[in-house]
């Protein structure tokens, strides 16, 4: 029984990692007053690109780093486009989600001759199949990386000029300009952080199961955005919210196995639970402020 | 080059393609107006997809139950439209209520509610209500008496197009020619200024979001009773998101929504046609849509080159 509970806790922890990573990225953009809704797209990008690089290099570490840096750079470029062209960040975010999805399918088809689920055993030899089979070790690395990333972000945001100026850009762009700070610069940097962490989250999803699935992200980008608000826009809150949402997802999967309710209907359970938790947390915050 | 020709020329090549393009525009108009209503109130309705889907579902269930009364079809269709609007309004009003009482961000709550409701609707369509005589994940068809009249067979264009075309005109009159509309706009554009003028912005949250949801539900009714004549799984296919994109392109202006919806419907029709006719892959159409959205939303293309990017 104890072993079962420990395994359940581990599974919830591993499931929380992508939400924590993506949520950390979202936090940067939310605090900069420039919320990025393209998290879902960048997670797919990270999952796919890291998979491809790992296939050819044999290294999970470099695959994740390169994919995350590439996503950071591209996201930064998109932010520059939004600001310079006066584009709507929401539409650009939607366009990115759409474009990345289409782009991945096109590239997958061209390079690998496949559009759907990509399995390592379809391709190169024993070295690569070993790469994807040590699930537990890779999963723990992502846990450490996610927590480290969150804590480093918390320190950067609260203790460094970069972070404080990013927060200033979000609180009052006009006041920032008056003080000689170009808030647009910090907003673009926040999108770079969002791309970086979202891609890492996508890579975590891919390497946890050892295959790349086109719909593997399935709404987790949006749950990460919910986690930021559920966590009161603080890193420790996001950590707690990610674990809570992962637990809700775990409950949903378990409920589907138990068959006491229609499996299709239960897919929406994590979202409804997230809604309930978010409403309660905001109600409590409002009550505390009022009192 | 062939794909581009297919996308931009082929939608005009036959009655079928033209009709389907305008039919999609008929679905998009109320959806984008729904998003615009929320934006003008200073809110963001991200749950439009679920409101359209649930609204269409409730209308469809009603029509299926009323199959025997085909001699009474017109009032029943009207009732189904009201049910769809009520369903959408209820879902949206709940999110606005949460915002007012608990201070939640309606962007998050509307999305989460939509994400939670959609699988439940899917369960009913693919489970208890499914038509087991065929292979589709759909209910049985409503029958011709319970569908809106077709204008350009064999396309799916129906009379919903004319109703959808009038809605932005009503919205324009409301926003620009009425006192309530003026207060509504002011409360959305500048809540602090409105407060100094004696207008409580919070007072408009629930009505604005409810109306937004109602328009979403109406779009759902048009889809099930006008376009498809049945309920099938995930028939909305991103209609809610498209509505939000069109409302943003039109900057929330009801009259500009008409050409914006036409443009979006034209683009979608072209990319869907490319899939059918030239065998272009989904990814090509998704990429082209993304690129077009990028440039449509840009206000200052030529300033990108200045001072470096």
């Amino acid at each position: 029984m104890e072993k079962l509970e420990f395994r359940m806790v581990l599974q919830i922890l591993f499931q929380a990692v992508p939400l924590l990573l993506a949520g950390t990225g979202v936090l940067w953009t939310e605090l900069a007053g420039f919320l990025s809704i393209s998290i879902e797209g960048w997670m797919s990008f990270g999952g796919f690109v890291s998979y491809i690089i790992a296939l050819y290099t044999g290294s999970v570490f470099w695959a994740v780093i390169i994919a995350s840096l590439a996503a950071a750079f591209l996201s930064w470029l998109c932010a520059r486009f939004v600001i310079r062209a006066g584009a709507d960040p929401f539409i650009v975010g939607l366009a990115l989600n759409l474009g990345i999805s289409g782009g991945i399918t096109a590239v997958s088809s061209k390079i690998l001759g496949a559009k759907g689920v990509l399995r390592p055993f379809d391709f190169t030899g024993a070295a690569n199949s070993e790469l994807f089979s040590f699930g537990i070790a890779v999963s723990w690395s992502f846990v450490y990386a996610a927590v480290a990333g969150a804590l480093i972000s918390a320190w950067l945001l609260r203790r460094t000029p970069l972070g404080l100026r990013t927060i200033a850009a979000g609180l009052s762009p006009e006041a920032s300009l008056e003080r000689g700070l170009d808030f647009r610069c910090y907003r673009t940097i926040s999108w770079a952080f969002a791309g970086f962490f979202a891609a890492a989250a996508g890579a975590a999803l891919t390497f946890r199961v050892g295959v790349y699935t086109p719909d593997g992200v399935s709404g987790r980008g949006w749950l990460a955005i919910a986690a930021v608000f559920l966590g009161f826009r603080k890193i420790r809150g996001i950590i707690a919210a990610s674990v809570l949402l992962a637990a809700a997802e775990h409950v949903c999967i378990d409920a589907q196995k138990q068959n006491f309710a229609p499996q299709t209907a239960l897919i929406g359970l994590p979202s409804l639970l997230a809604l309930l938790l978010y409403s309660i947390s905001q109600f409590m915050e409002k009550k505390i402020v009022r009192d | 080059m062939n794909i581009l020709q297919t996308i931009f020329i082929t939608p005009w090549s036959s009655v079928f393609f033209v009709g389907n393009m305008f039919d999609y525009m008929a679905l998009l108009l109320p959806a984008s107006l729904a998003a615009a209503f929320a934006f003008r109130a200073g809110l963001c309705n991200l749950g439009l997809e679920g409101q359209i889907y649930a609204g269409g579902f409730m209308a469809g269930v009603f029509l299926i139950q009323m199959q025997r009364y085909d001699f009474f079809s017109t009032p029943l269709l009207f009732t189904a439209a009201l049910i769809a609007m009520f369903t959408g309004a209820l879902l949206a009003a709940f999110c606005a209520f949460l915002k007012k009482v608990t201070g939640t961000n309606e962007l998050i709550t509307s999305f989460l509610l939509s994400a939670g409701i959609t699988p439940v609707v899917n369960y009913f369509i693919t489970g208890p209500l499914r038509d087991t005589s065929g292979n589709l994940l759909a209910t049985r068809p409503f029958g011709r008496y319970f569908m809106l009249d077709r204008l350009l067979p064999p396309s799916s264009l129906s009379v919903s197009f004319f109703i959808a075309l009038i809605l932005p005109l009503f919205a324009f009159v409301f926003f620009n020619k009425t006192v309530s509309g003026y207060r509504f706009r002011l409360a959305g554009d500048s809540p602090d200024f409105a407060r100094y003028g004696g207008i409580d912005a919070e007072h408009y949250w629930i009505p604005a979001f409810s109306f937004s949801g109602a328009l979403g539900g109406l779009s759902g009714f048009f889809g099930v009773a006008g376009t498809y004549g049945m309920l099938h799984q995930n028939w909305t296919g991103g209609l809610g998101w498209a509505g939000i994109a069109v409302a943003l392109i039109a900057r929330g202006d009801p009259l500009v929504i008409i050409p914006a919806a036409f443009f979006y419907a034209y683009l979608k029709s072209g990319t869907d046609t490319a899939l059918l006719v030239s065998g272009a892959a989904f990814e090509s159409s998704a990429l082209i849509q993304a690129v077009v959205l990028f440039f449509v939303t840009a206000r200052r293309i030529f300033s990108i080159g200045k001072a470096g990017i």
Side-chain angles (χ1 to χ4, degrees), chain B residues 39-280:
Chain B
F39 287 140
R40 295 304 286 266
L43 305 169
C44 183
N45 186 358
L46 228 54
L48 212 43
E49 186 81 4
Q51 288 152 25
I52 293 171
Y53 197 40
F57 170 74
M58 292 304 289
V61 167
F62 176 77
L63 290 174
I64 288 169
Q65 297 306 316
M66 296 290 125
Q67 290 285 280
R68 312 177 254 172
Y69 306 109
D70 52 7
F71 50 87
F72 219 41
S73 60
T74 304
L76 287 174
L77 276 168
F78 184 71
T79 308
L82 288 176
I83 289 172
M85 292 173 73
F86 179 75
T87 305
L90 196 64
L91 291 173
F94 177 67
C95 299
F97 173 76
L98 281 179
K99 182 179 175 75
K100 197 158 183 176
V101 168
T102 66
T104 51
N105 186 330
E106 79 287 352
L107 185 146
I108 302 294
T109 54
S110 59
F111 172 78
L112 289 175
L113 186 60
S114 167
I117 290 288
T118 300
V120 175
V121 173
N122 281 340
Y123 159 70
F124 281 104
I125 291 175
T126 59
L129 296 176
R130 187 178 164 216
D131 179 11
T132 51
S133 66
N135 292 324
L136 285 179
L137 292 174
T139 63
R140 56 189 161 89
F142 302 153
R144 62 188 180 93
Y145 294 108
F146 289 99
M147 284 186 63
L148 299 175
D149 292 337
R150 290 282 164 93
L151 295 174
L152 272 181
S155 77
S156 51
L157 180 65
S158 68
V159 293
S160 62
F161 178 72
F162 296 119
I163 304 168
L165 217 49
I166 295 169
L167 293 173
L169 303 175
F170 280 124
F172 174 78
V173 168
F174 170 72
F175 282 131
N176 297 290
K177 306 292 181 193
T178 66
V179 173
S180 303
Y182 168 75
R183 288 179 179 158
F184 184 99
R185 275 191 298 124
L186 195 60
D189 290 342
S190 182
D192 291 330
F193 183 77
R195 193 159 36 92
Y196 287 123
I199 299 169
D200 181 10
E202 287 189 22
H203 175 72
Y204 288 92
W205 287 350
I206 294 178
F209 230 56
S210 303
F211 204 72
S212 175
L215 285 170
L218 183 63
S219 179
F221 168 74
F222 286 162
V224 302
T227 305
Y228 295 105
M230 68 173 77
L231 295 167
H232 70 81
Q233 190 184 16
N234 295 327
W235 67 264
T236 51
L239 180 60
W241 298 105
I244 292 170
V246 167
L248 286 169
I249 291 168
R251 316 258 188 253
D253 187 320
L255 291 184
V256 180
I257 276 175
I258 299 174
F262 168 72
F263 169 76
Y264 199 96
Y266 176 32
L267 179 67
K268 184 162 186 320
S269 175
T271 51
D272 286 350
T273 309
L275 282 171
L276 285 172
V277 171
S278 68

Side-chain angles (χ1 to χ4, degrees), chain A residues 137-148:
Chain A
V138 169
S139 293
W140 273 114
S141 304
F142 276 107
V143 172
Y144 301 140
V147 173

